[in-house]
Amino acid sequence: LGDPELITLAEMLQRNGHANETGMILKIDVEGAEWHCFESMDDEILGRFDQIVVEYHGLEYLADARWCERAERVFARINRHHAAIHVHGNNYGEIRIVEGIPVPGVIEISYANRAKFALTPSNALFPSELDTPCDPARPDLILGSFRFS
């Protein structure tokens, strides 16, 4: 990202004494920089995390081919080691219509490491009874069924 004050996840793990740890949980909410973080992250480091929770920004750009290519690369990289197990629309942002489909600008996806968990396909509807709206003053976003693989 070019900011001399920013460090990579590998550097963070080194500094806090977790460079060789496994079984960790990664929560990332960096206001749009998540795409760059995951693109540049080493697969070996990514695979050390048992669970990952990401807030993805910018989904209103899904109609842009270059943006979609980047998103597909990021999702493919994460999916090498992890499977999405939950999705939630962040209702603080606006819903955009992208090629006729309503899309939240921000979604939150939780992943589990494929090597650590026995995962099965699900027809769950989102939000689930366990979800609550990010902004309690607004209704939650109905996303419907997602098939994760």
Side-chain angles (χ1 to χ4, degrees):
L1 294 168
D3 187 330
E5 293 185 26
L6 298 179
I7 62 172
T8 66
L9 181 58
E11 291 170 306
M12 285 182 216
L13 293 172
Q14 184 68 39
R15 287 183 186 185
N16 71 16
H18 291 93
N20 297 312
E21 293 288 328
T22 60
M24 298 178 286
I25 297 173
L26 173 64
K27 182 173 187 322
I28 182 167
D29 178 2
V30 289
E31 306 305 314
E34 61 276 3
W35 304 105
H36 176 76
C37 290
F38 283 112
E39 260 188 327
S40 60
M41 192 180 300
D42 184 276
D43 278 348
E44 188 272 329
I45 289 175
L46 193 58
R48 292 186 197 175
F49 292 93
D50 281 1
Q51 298 175 53
I52 300 173
V53 180
V54 184
E55 185 174 84
Y56 291 105
H57 298 79
L59 273 69
E60 65 271 18
Y61 302 115
L62 279 169
D64 179 282
R66 289 185 65 209
W67 190 93
C68 274
E69 289 170 7
R70 183 182 209 187
E72 286 176 9
R73 284 191 309 271
V74 167
F75 291 139
R77 169 167 275 180
I78 294 171
N79 283 326
R80 285 184 201 130
H81 296 284
H82 298 81
I85 58 170
H86 186 266
V87 63
H88 187 250
N90 186 321
N91 70 339
Y92 273 108
E94 298 298 319
I95 295 287
R96 303 281 168 47
I97 304 300
V98 179
E99 297 188 12
I101 300 170
V103 176
V106 178
I107 62 169
E108 301 151 354
I109 299 181
S110 299
Y111 299 91
N113 192 309
R114 294 174 187 275
K116 304 282 180 94
F117 298 95
L119 304 170
T120 59
S122 170
N123 289 319
L125 298 176
F126 298 97
S128 75
E129 64 278 357
L130 299 176
D131 288 305
T132 58
C134 297
D135 179 352
R138 298 171 71 182
D140 214 346
L141 302 177
I142 306 301
L143 300 178
S145 178
F146 280 72
R147 292 293 291 181
F148 302 125
S149 60

